[in-house]
Amino acid sequence: MSDLRMVVCCKQVLDPEAPPSSFKVDAKTMRMTLPPDIKQVIGQYDEFALEAALRIRDKAGGKITVLSLGNNMARDVIKKSLAVGADELVLLEDAAFEDSDSWSTAYALSKAVQKLDGYDVIFCGRQSSDWDAGQVGAGLAELLGLPVVTLARKVEAVDGKLRIEQVIPDGYQVIEVDTPAVVTVTSELGNLRYAILKGIMAAARKQPIVWTPADLGLDTTEVGEPGRRLQLNRLFQPVKEAHCEMVEGENAAEAGANLAIRLREAKLI
Amino acid sequence: MKEYKGVLVYGEVAGGKLSSTTCELLGCGRKLADELGQNVACVVASDAPGDSVAEAGARGADAVYTAELTKDAAGSAAVHVALAAQAIAAAAPAVVLIGHTALGRELGPRLAFRLGAAVATDCIDLQIDPDSKTVVMTKPVYGGNALAEFAARAAPQIATVRPKAMSAGEPNPSHPAETIQLAAEPATEPVKVLERVQEEVTGVKLEDASVVVSGGRGAGGAEPFGTVLKELADVLHAAVGASRPPCDNGWAPEALHIGLTGKIVAPDLYVAVAISGASQHMAGCSGSKTIVAINKDAEANIFLEANYGVVGKFEDVLPAFTQKLRELLTD
């Protein structure tokens, strides 16, 4: 079998690991914000997806193309994918892509995938780390008429097929699927490897390919906000009030015993 | 243009009965349909439906679409996508409700993209907008750091609904329902299940437990899950759970993962040990009646969510807590 041509969809997002209190909604634009000193990142599940592709290439060879959609993407953030070893980075980058939903994102990505020089596997994170929709992988599969295997925790290329361990509620199942296929990846697959210096140097020399809606044959009504199927009407943060009764003691052990007594008094146990 | 009316629930069957999530969807669907003055339909497609067809009627469905499946077909999301599409073509519902379950997470988006419709996933609230009569779909976003309200721009309006977010209501066995047979949908995808591996979890089942003891990143390793956490759980007849880091690090099996991308629990008592309380974890346990937090960091977010808290190292707090509970509970 010839080398696998792998596509990994990566989204640049606000850092989901930022302290919860630092997330603030801009009610006017209906966008989430973080303080400017907290850098954006590649979505955590997308990083696991990239790691899945890198592991296959470690063993079986192949080519990895990273696709990302957005506007004004920070090059040092998204080029991390090149630094850890992706062969090629294609950005769907234009103001018209702003405020996309799962539909307009998957639609544009499906056109970009078809413009590539062939593909065998498309990897996506199980869900984005911002809107948590979990739709783009399944959506791409439907738009391209491909099978999809969701929630992969291990992916191997075996005899021209993919062998995938899929997480199910009480364990996992081993699935074999023909290529081309879409695979969505979950956190148990493991963290994305660190970039080594050689990779960082090589990434610095590479320039991403940039495609606009016109390059994909897309009308501006089909992308970004106008292309949405799901309309965002309100984004808000419910006010949380602490209501925690702190139980204390002379030391931690006594506090533990006092907690038991308190829970008994409150008839909770 | 075709007129879309009514609510369609895509049911799931577990152990010859409707799943608890399906009962919640029917409770919610009945309410929405009554507000619109319209009907509820339910799909029951299973290899072992048991009493679930009658149960769907008793839970408020006016029509039940059924399909008898082979075991392989019942486990294939692709088959359920095709069946759901078929039921939607027949019923032309305005609203489609699917559980945000292992099946629903795949079924919802695939169905929406196949139909050119819109889906809001992991919704925790659905309301009819009084003016437009469309559904306002509310879902947590940014790992639970905000809520978003969505409206569909294409029909039907599809929502996957978070388990335990809606109440099931009481069944009424005399509620009449007609039964309609769906055509068989063969599994045509080049996807083959080679092996199924159940990860052994002993003790009380997590989703059904009335008390859950959970460990987090601060547990520092696998050991506490087999010792102090387990001892506490045993005394409380509780199930043991975990936040994401212990599962990703292999300290606890994935089946114990509670959170946005794991299981959703809503026990009477949730004891969070060495869990910082990230929004992604709280998404899986915020429905608990009472939350008790034990954490060495007094500033941890979990204390904003908990009802009772102790600041201290779990290694010091738990043995004394467990011992005192043992005394109190044997009195």
Side-chain angles (χ1 to χ4, degrees):
Chain A
M1 174 191 176
S2 60
D3 282 352
L4 273 186
R5 295 160 298 180
M6 296 179 276
V7 178
V8 184
C9 301
C10 288
K11 184 178 189 182
Q12 186 178 313
V13 295
L14 297 180
D15 186 354
E17 303 283 329
S21 58
S22 59
F23 284 86
K24 299 274 181 259
V25 168
D26 179 344
K28 227 174 80 191
T29 59
M30 285 197 289
R31 287 183 186 161
M32 183 62 87
T33 64
L34 279 179
D37 58 312
I38 302 180
K39 269 181 59 169
Q40 297 211 355
V41 295
I42 294 176
Q44 47 184 347
Y45 298 102
D46 304 344
E47 286 203 351
F48 306 138
L50 179 53
E51 179 61 25
L54 289 165
R55 285 184 195 171
I56 287 179
R57 200 187 56 184
D58 289 345
K59 269 199 179 167
K63 181 185 175 193
I64 299 173
T65 300
V66 169
L67 275 186
S68 191
L69 178 145
N71 189 32
N72 289 327
M73 280 182 260
R75 291 298 187 268
D76 59 331
V77 173
I78 200 66
K79 279 178 86 173
K80 179 181 176 186
S81 58
L82 292 171
V84 294
D87 299 287
E88 167 178 79
L89 174 60
V90 177
L91 303 181
L92 295 111
E93 194 175 43
D94 195 278
F97 288 124
E98 283 194 20
D99 297 318
S100 297
D101 72 348
S102 304
W103 181 279
S104 47
T105 300
Y107 192 64
L109 288 174
S110 74
K111 298 293 177 197
V113 167
Q114 288 168 299
K115 193 177 156 78
L116 293 172
D117 185 21
Y119 58 90
D120 300 301
V121 196
I122 303 170
F123 286 106
C124 295
R126 62 175 293 173
Q127 64 198 57
S128 69
S129 300
D130 46 12
W131 294 94
D132 291 318
Q135 295 191 32
V136 165
L140 268 174
E142 287 292 327
L143 292 172
L144 295 167
L146 301 178
V148 57
V149 179
T150 58
L151 307 187
R153 65 172 210 179
K154 187 176 178 189
V155 189
E156 287 175 311
V158 182
D159 302 331
K161 294 172 188 279
L162 296 175
R163 189 164 292 177
I164 296 164
E165 287 183 15
Q166 177 185 47
V167 175
I168 54 175
D170 56 356
Y172 67 93
Q173 58 189 11
V174 184
I175 288 182
E176 198 176 73
V177 62
D178 292 348
T179 58
V182 176
V183 179
T184 79
V185 178
T186 187
S187 55
E188 299 95 292
L189 185 117
N191 285 329
L192 177 63
R193 62 197 58 189
Y194 289 105
I196 54 170
L197 186 62
K198 199 175 130 210
I200 296 169
M201 307 272 282
R205 286 191 301 271
K206 281 188 194 165
Q207 283 311 314
I209 299 160
V210 178
W211 288 341
T212 63
D215 293 328
L216 300 172
L218 288 169
D219 205 274
T220 48
T221 58
E222 297 173 292
V223 297
E225 209 286 330
R228 293 179 73 111
R229 299 267 156 124
L230 204 55
Q231 180 168 309
L232 176 64
N233 284 339
R234 190 173 168 224
L235 181 65
F236 64 105
Q237 292 171 292
V239 182
K240 266 187 213 156
E241 277 176 50
H243 48 74
C244 190
E245 177 184 326
M246 302 307 292
V247 178
E248 293 170 357
E250 284 294 317
N251 51 45
E254 195 185 290
N258 288 343
L259 176 63
I261 294 166
R262 186 69 194 96
L263 295 182
R264 183 66 162 182
E265 282 170 2
K267 298 194 166 53
L268 291 167
I269 52 164
Chain B
M1 201 183 127
K2 190 150 73 176
E3 196 189 356
Y4 291 89
K5 270 178 94 167
V7 177
L8 178 80
V9 169
Y10 199 87
E12 290 184 58
V13 177
K17 295 176 70 158
L18 287 182
S19 72
S20 55
T21 305
T22 301
C23 296
E24 293 157 21
L25 294 180
L26 283 167
C28 167
R30 188 70 257 174
K31 245 178 53 196
L32 296 176
D34 287 346
E35 257 182 79
L36 294 167
Q38 297 172 0
N39 283 346
V40 176
C42 181
V43 178
V44 177
S46 167
D47 57 323
D51 300 329
S52 50
V53 173
E55 212 186 338
R59 296 250 171 215
D62 304 297
V64 184
Y65 290 86
T66 62
E68 287 241 18
L69 305 181
T70 62
K71 198 165 189 311
D72 283 350
S76 160
V79 167
H80 290 288
V81 176
L83 287 167
Q86 203 191 124
I88 288 168
V95 183
V96 179
L97 304 181
I98 299 169
H100 195 67
T101 57
L103 172 65
R105 286 171 202 243
E106 182 173 338
L107 171 58
R110 287 185 69 174
L111 186 62
F113 275 82
R114 190 165 298 184
L115 301 176
V119 58
T121 55
D122 200 15
C123 294
I124 56 165
D125 192 28
L126 300 170
Q127 300 287 341
I128 304 286
D129 180 89
D131 301 322
S132 66
K133 303 292 178 199
T134 59
V135 184
V136 181
M137 301 180 276
T138 304
K139 107 180 213 74
V141 294
Y142 287 88
N145 280 311
L147 294 176
E149 288 179 3
F150 292 107
R153 286 182 184 168
Q157 310 164 80
I158 306 176
T160 70
V161 180
R162 180 176 289 190
K164 299 189 165 74
M166 306 289 175
S167 47
E170 289 302 315
N172 169 14
S174 61
H175 181 261
E178 62 167 328
T179 307
I180 303 151
Q181 189 78 33
L182 291 171
E185 294 281 356
T188 51
E189 282 200 334
V191 175
K192 210 164 81 189
V193 178
L194 302 180
E195 189 190 358
R196 250 183 115 96
V197 182
Q198 279 192 320
E199 284 175 340
E200 195 76 30
V201 176
T202 53
V204 188
K205 202 173 163 224
L206 199 50
E207 298 96 313
D208 306 334
S210 56
V211 183
V212 173
V213 172
S214 239
R217 193 195 300 264
E223 198 249 298
F225 286 91
T227 57
V228 283
L229 288 166
K230 180 165 187 312
E231 284 155 24
L232 173 59
D234 286 346
V235 170
L236 290 171
H237 302 290
V240 174
S243 62
R244 207 183 92 191
C247 299
D248 286 354
N249 288 320
W251 307 342
E254 173 59 25
L256 300 192
H257 174 192
I258 294 167
L260 186 65
T261 54
K263 294 200 161 75
I264 309 284
V265 299
D268 294 333
L269 182 63
Y270 188 81
V271 185
V273 180
I275 286 178
S276 67
S279 319
Q280 289 86 349
H281 177 66
M282 298 318 297
C285 65
S286 57
S288 308
K289 284 208 186 81
T290 301
I291 296 177
V292 173
I294 296 163
N295 200 295
K296 65 179 182 193
D297 176 11
E299 302 298 317
N301 191 62
I302 190 75
F303 292 118
L304 294 175
E305 311 273 354
N307 306 88
Y308 296 90
V310 167
V311 178
K313 284 165 72 174
F314 75 90
E315 296 94 326
D316 301 329
V317 177
L318 280 196
F321 179 44
T322 304
Q323 179 54 34
K324 188 50 114 182
L325 285 171
R326 202 176 276 132
E327 287 168 32
L328 292 170
L329 290 170
T330 48
D331 273 355

